[in-house]
Amino acid sequence: MKIGILGGGQLGRMLIQEALKYDDEFYILDPSANCSCANISYFTQGNFNNKQEVIDFGKDKDVVSIEIEHVSVEGLQVLENKGVKVIPNSRIITIIQQKILQKQFYEEFDIPSPAFQIIQSSDEEIVIGFPFVQKLNTGGYDGKGVQIIKAEKDLVNLWDAPSVLENLVDIEKELSLIIAKNEQGEIKSFPVTEMVADPQLNLLDFNISPTQIAEDIQKQIDQIAEKFMKAANSEGLFAIELFLDKNGKVWVNETAPRLHNSGHQSQEGNANSQFEQFYRVLKNLPLADTSSAGFSGMLNLVGEENFSGKVKYKGLEEVLKLPNTYVHLYAKEETKPGRKMGHINVLGNSREELLDQLIVIKSLVKVISE
Amino acid sequence: MKIGILGGGQLGRMLIQEALKYDDEFYILDPSANCSCANISYFTQGNFNNKQEVIDFGKDKDVVSIEIEHVSVEGLQVLENKGVKVIPNSRIITIIQQKILQKQFYEEFDIPSPAFQIIQSSDEEIVIGFPFVQKLNTGGYDGKGVQIIKAEKDLVNLWDAPSVLENLVDIEKELSLIIAKNEQGEIKSFPVTEMVADPQLNLLDFNISPTQIAEDIQKQIDQIAEKFMKAANSEGLFAIELFLDKNGKVWVNETAPRLHNSGHQSQEGNANSQFEQFYRVLKNLPLADTSSAGFSGMLNLVGEENFSGKVKYKGLEEVLKLPNTYVHLYAKEETKPGRKMGHINVLGNSREELLDQLIVIKSLVKVISE
């Protein structure tokens, strides 16, 4: 089967890696000839934000999907009208790629998400209370395009662009749910994962899966997942990023219509990974078992501050000596501060054991330049 | 790092798949433009049996290795003399690729292997007792080039070519040990695997790992492994195929200087797979943990009799519904009777559970043509 993917980054690479167990042909559209997928796929260098390039790329494929949501949905709509299978469908990508539509979508379908105000420019009257989060309508990614406005005096920093202003949640835990649906309507989710963020880089840092949560909280999450999947009305694999607040209430932070960083530990931690599951969605195959025997965790390898250029992974050999430890690099030649260059998965018997090992590993390995 | 591999079949494919966790560039030399590795590597179409083609292919690589032993060792010798790292070294490949040298090697290094006679042609006097196995000196592969001569009257069938004639072992079990050594001299083996062969196709059919054997037998195997690795005197990953006879004695059947079918269940069955281990050997990295929590098994998917042409995997969707079951296909377009097209790994808590599941799977899936 000819599978076309918009985007050739690490998510595409790990999808192809998993799918090498099967017989399909992967076609990748990405602007960079050095992207993580260039040498392991049928590669087209091009702009996935350009309507015509998306149409040209997708028109002869059996299915077209994404590994990044910032793509030309107009191109995908044309492909859908031509009868090409697009997963997830262009409607839900359109909604998710614009923060304003995404918030309105949660509101419309009664999916709990923090109270918000929409602005088109910084001139508008701000009615939401302080502190709040400003999220740019488009262009936000990996913590970019998001800032916290603490008090009246910080309003001078408000970005002058269409945005969502959102109440700050008093966060107890950040959680994530990866959930998949195939064409037959089968739906399966992974165990809920806990994310521990790096406050400085605003990047996902550690994942722990499964998280330990009370039955009531799991129930809230199940309800959110059910409402979301009904409202999304699309095949695909989705990551629902959640806040658990200090009062025990669960809120949707945002959603990604694709493979997600918070599911990477599933590569060794679960009976099947998010990549296997997404592959099965693309092929409309029976969904895979997502259970886990023990606990798994993940640490992102991001470029250190003050290092730019040809990447070097300092301390990696020490990490390779550790048991229950799995290194994943993304074949990116150049590092820069904060760039996601790889991740390391660990397996263990408890949350505490995993955290201890992740902290050791974090101290051992550094992503620097030569 | 530039890693060159002679051969682009499924072993190379699964090596590359595993190594996509890292950052290296894989170069493949194979005569077939449709081979399993062609579209996932830097691919050169060419003849790995041709001395000059091997030299041209390998001279600018950091390391050159094999996924099939029937290659030009003369070419590899030239590369070694030029200072290119060749793993395993050309000496041990030369020995293993010729059955006569291989038998003499076992004899020289006191490695137990069945008594034998060497012949250059069928005219020679046969002194070995009946029944015996004739193994052609070269060209044997996947059960080809091997026949049993039961009695005097069958001597008319004796192939007229340089061969080893070998005493038939009264086999209790066929076993296999996968063992690896890196440049630093670190040596690590996988748990011993039991092979259940298909008498008709003379192909490996089921693997079960670990096998259940008495301490004394494990000790014999450990001694064989130690002698073999000392005598081989080479980095690499090796498969030592063993016979356990009905008297409890272990014999070496033959050895492969490469990744091996009997190690495929390590993909999901062990903490790390034979492919990860071989990759680490190629890079001289610390060897990986090879332990297994439970039992794992493997079933080869081979082309059914009477089907040739574009492959179709009948019943595969049913198999994908089963838990603890992992399908691996080799991206070969055409099936023919007996051709290895893929395999299926299963995980379980006992040998019996695995055998039951493997038999169910075998009845579900058939490799046919469209």
Side-chain angles (χ1 to χ4, degrees):
Chain A
M1 193 157 136
K2 289 186 176 187
I3 299 174
I5 305 286
L6 305 184
Q10 63 263 23
L11 300 174
R13 182 179 175 90
M14 291 186 277
L15 169 66
I16 292 173
Q17 180 183 23
E18 190 74 60
L20 284 179
K21 289 193 304 198
Y22 305 102
D23 269 4
D24 306 274
E25 291 167 2
F26 278 84
Y27 294 78
I28 296 286
L29 179 67
D30 193 276
S32 165
N34 293 320
C35 73
S36 298
C37 296
N39 299 314
I40 55 168
S41 65
Y42 297 91
F43 179 68
T44 303
Q45 190 171 8
N47 182 0
F48 45 64
N49 275 305
N50 179 289
K51 178 179 171 183
Q52 194 55 47
E53 289 186 57
V54 167
I55 297 167
D56 291 343
F57 171 77
K59 64 188 174 196
D60 62 345
K61 305 300 180 290
D62 296 304
V63 58
V64 171
S65 191
I66 59 169
E67 62 106 59
I68 180 169
E69 59 268 40
H70 302 295
V71 299
S72 167
V73 284
E74 296 79 12
L76 291 176
Q77 279 158 9
V78 172
L79 290 174
E80 284 170 341
N81 292 336
K82 280 178 187 284
V84 176
K85 187 80 167 152
V86 175
I87 298 177
N89 64 38
S90 63
R91 170 183 161 270
I92 191 67
I93 299 174
T94 305
I95 291 167
I96 288 177
Q97 70 181 194
Q98 296 179 58
K99 290 281 192 309
I100 293 172
L101 293 180
Q102 197 181 136
K103 286 298 283 191
Q104 289 169 334
F105 170 84
Y106 299 141
E107 195 169 49
E108 179 183 352
F109 289 99
D110 196 27
I111 295 167
S113 101
F116 64 103
Q117 174 186 358
I118 290 167
I119 59 167
Q120 298 302 325
S121 75
S122 57
D123 298 341
E124 291 182 40
E125 189 193 357
I126 306 304
V127 295
I128 196 166
F130 297 97
F132 65 79
V133 188
Q134 180 179 25
K135 296 178 174 176
L136 291 180
N137 186 40
T138 56
Y141 200 64
D142 272 354
K144 290 178 210 102
V146 174
Q147 68 170 336
I148 293 175
I149 302 291
K150 284 188 185 154
E152 186 100 29
K153 69 176 172 53
D154 301 319
L155 281 178
V156 291
N157 298 323
L158 203 68
W159 293 316
D160 184 25
S163 305
V164 169
L165 311 183
E166 193 177 279
N167 268 347
L168 213 56
V169 173
D170 197 7
I171 299 172
E172 172 74 21
K173 272 186 179 183
E174 288 196 48
L175 305 172
S176 171
L177 182 78
I178 307 255
I179 187 164
K181 181 183 177 185
N182 66 12
E183 194 180 346
Q184 286 165 54
E186 196 187 355
I187 293 179
K188 214 169 245 177
S189 58
F190 281 81
V192 178
T193 295
E194 181 186 341
M195 303 187 286
V196 187
D198 183 319
Q200 202 138 36
L201 287 172
N202 201 8
L203 264 182
L204 182 61
D205 209 342
F206 294 168
N207 287 346
I208 302 283
S209 176
T211 187
Q212 285 149 316
I213 43 176
E215 208 178 307
D216 154 62
I217 292 163
Q218 181 69 51
K219 204 175 277 177
Q220 289 182 59
I221 295 172
D222 292 345
Q223 284 169 356
I224 286 172
E226 200 186 324
K227 281 185 191 172
F228 176 83
M229 292 307 281
K230 210 171 162 180
N233 192 24
S234 172
E235 299 125 71
L237 180 137
F238 301 88
I240 308 178
E241 294 181 71
L242 302 158
F243 293 135
L244 170 63
D245 75 14
K246 294 208 190 296
N247 298 318
K249 181 167 166 64
V250 179
W251 305 87
V252 172
N253 174 23
E254 50 188 60
T255 317
R258 54 162 169 82
L259 296 160
H260 197 256
N261 199 157
S262 65
H264 288 355
Q265 72 292 330
S266 64
Q267 288 173 307
E268 289 91 11
N270 296 69
N272 291 278
S273 72
Q274 64 167 339
F275 303 99
E276 171 74 18
Q277 196 70 302
F278 183 45
Y279 170 81
R280 292 189 180 208
V281 168
L282 295 178
K283 297 262 296 183
N284 191 26
L285 290 170
L287 294 185
D289 177 14
T290 58
S291 65
S292 62
F295 288 82
S296 59
M298 189 218 59
L299 154 74
N300 277 318
L301 295 176
V302 298
E304 292 284 315
E305 288 300 325
N306 304 320
F307 289 94
S308 287
K310 198 160 188 308
V311 65
K312 190 180 160 182
Y313 299 94
K314 204 181 130 200
L316 205 61
E317 208 168 309
E318 283 308 302
V319 173
L320 288 171
K321 288 181 190 163
L322 301 174
N324 305 318
T325 303
Y326 299 89
V327 172
H328 297 263
L329 306 179
Y330 301 157
K332 297 178 181 175
E333 276 180 32
E334 307 260 319
T335 183
K336 54 187 178 186
R339 188 176 193 199
K340 286 184 188 168
M341 300 298 291
H343 68 271
I344 296 176
N345 291 335
V346 295
L347 304 180
N349 295 312
S350 72
R351 184 180 190 277
E352 292 64 37
E353 189 189 322
L354 284 184
L355 276 177
D356 287 349
Q357 199 176 340
L358 287 167
I359 288 165
V360 167
I361 291 171
K362 188 159 188 175
S363 73
L364 283 175
V365 61
K366 296 272 174 266
V367 182
I368 59 173
S369 53
E370 281 188 350
Chain B
M1 192 156 136
K2 289 186 176 186
I3 299 175
I5 306 285
L6 305 182
Q10 63 265 22
L11 299 174
R13 182 178 175 90
M14 291 186 277
L15 169 65
I16 292 173
Q17 181 183 22
E18 190 74 60
L20 283 178
K21 288 193 305 197
Y22 305 101
D23 268 4
D24 306 273
E25 292 168 0
F26 278 83
Y27 294 79
I28 295 286
L29 179 67
D30 194 277
S32 165
N34 294 320
C35 73
S36 298
C37 296
N39 298 317
I40 56 168
S41 65
Y42 297 91
F43 179 67
T44 303
Q45 190 171 8
N47 182 359
F48 46 64
N49 276 304
N50 180 288
K51 179 180 169 183
Q52 194 56 48
E53 290 186 56
V54 167
I55 297 168
D56 292 343
F57 171 77
K59 64 188 175 196
D60 62 344
K61 305 300 180 289
D62 296 304
V63 58
V64 170
S65 190
I66 59 169
E67 62 108 56
I68 180 169
E69 60 268 39
H70 302 295
V71 299
S72 168
V73 284
E74 295 78 13
L76 291 177
Q77 279 157 9
V78 172
L79 290 173
E80 284 170 340
N81 293 336
K82 279 179 189 283
V84 175
K85 187 80 167 153
V86 174
I87 298 178
N89 64 37
S90 63
R91 170 183 161 270
I92 191 66
I93 300 174
T94 306
I95 290 167
I96 289 177
Q97 73 180 194
Q98 294 180 60
K99 289 283 192 306
I100 293 172
L101 292 181
Q102 197 182 137
K103 286 298 281 192
Q104 290 169 334
F105 170 83
Y106 299 142
E107 196 170 48
E108 180 183 350
F109 290 98
D110 196 26
I111 295 166
S113 101
F116 65 104
Q117 174 187 358
I118 290 166
I119 59 168
Q120 297 302 326
S121 76
S122 58
D123 298 341
E124 291 180 40
E125 189 193 356
I126 305 304
V127 295
I128 197 167
F130 298 97
F132 64 80
V133 188
Q134 180 180 24
K135 296 178 174 177
L136 291 180
N137 186 40
T138 57
Y141 200 66
D142 273 354
K144 289 178 209 104
V146 175
Q147 68 170 337
I148 293 174
I149 302 291
K150 284 188 185 153
E152 186 98 30
K153 67 173 173 52
D154 300 319
L155 280 180
V156 293
N157 298 325
L158 202 68
W159 293 316
D160 185 22
S163 305
V164 168
L165 310 183
E166 193 178 278
N167 269 347
L168 215 58
V169 174
D170 197 8
I171 298 172
E172 173 72 23
K173 272 187 178 181
E174 288 195 47
L175 305 172
S176 171
L177 182 78
I178 307 253
I179 187 163
K181 182 183 176 183
N182 67 11
E183 194 180 345
Q184 286 165 55
E186 197 185 354
I187 293 179
K188 215 168 243 176
S189 57
F190 281 82
V192 177
T193 295
E194 180 185 342
M195 302 187 286
V196 187
D198 184 319
Q200 203 139 34
L201 287 173
N202 201 8
L203 262 182
L204 182 62
D205 210 339
F206 293 169
N207 287 346
I208 303 282
S209 176
T211 186
Q212 285 149 317
I213 44 175
E215 207 178 306
D216 155 61
I217 291 161
Q218 181 68 51
K219 204 175 279 178
Q220 290 181 61
I221 294 172
D222 292 343
Q223 284 168 354
I224 286 172
E226 200 185 325
K227 281 184 192 175
F228 176 82
M229 292 306 281
K230 210 171 162 180
N233 192 24
S234 172
E235 298 125 72
L237 181 136
F238 302 88
I240 307 178
E241 295 181 71
L242 303 158
F243 294 135
L244 169 63
D245 75 13
K246 295 209 189 296
N247 297 317
K249 182 168 165 63
V250 179
W251 306 87
V252 172
N253 173 23
E254 51 189 59
T255 317
R258 55 164 169 79
L259 295 159
H260 197 256
N261 199 157
S262 65
H264 288 356
Q265 71 292 331
S266 64
Q267 289 173 308
E268 289 91 12
N270 296 70
N272 291 278
S273 73
Q274 65 167 340
F275 303 99
E276 170 73 16
Q277 196 70 301
F278 183 44
Y279 169 80
R280 293 189 180 208
V281 169
L282 294 178
K283 297 262 294 184
N284 191 26
L285 290 169
L287 294 184
D289 177 15
T290 59
S291 65
S292 62
F295 288 81
S296 59
M298 190 219 59
L299 154 73
N300 278 318
L301 294 175
V302 297
E304 292 284 315
E305 289 299 326
N306 305 319
F307 290 94
S308 287
K310 197 160 187 308
V311 66
K312 189 179 162 183
Y313 299 93
K314 203 181 130 198
L316 206 61
E317 207 168 311
E318 283 309 302
V319 174
L320 287 171
K321 288 181 189 162
L322 301 174
N324 305 318
T325 302
Y326 300 89
V327 172
H328 296 263
L329 307 179
Y330 302 156
K332 296 177 181 175
E333 275 181 31
E334 307 261 318
T335 183
K336 54 187 177 187
R339 188 177 193 199
K340 286 183 188 169
M341 300 298 289
H343 68 270
I344 296 176
N345 291 335
V346 295
L347 304 180
N349 295 312
S350 70
R351 183 180 190 277
E352 294 63 38
E353 188 189 321
L354 283 184
L355 276 177
D356 287 350
Q357 200 176 340
L358 287 168
I359 288 164
V360 167
I361 291 171
K362 189 160 185 172
S363 74
L364 284 175
V365 62
K366 296 272 174 264
V367 182
I368 59 174
S369 53
E370 279 188 351

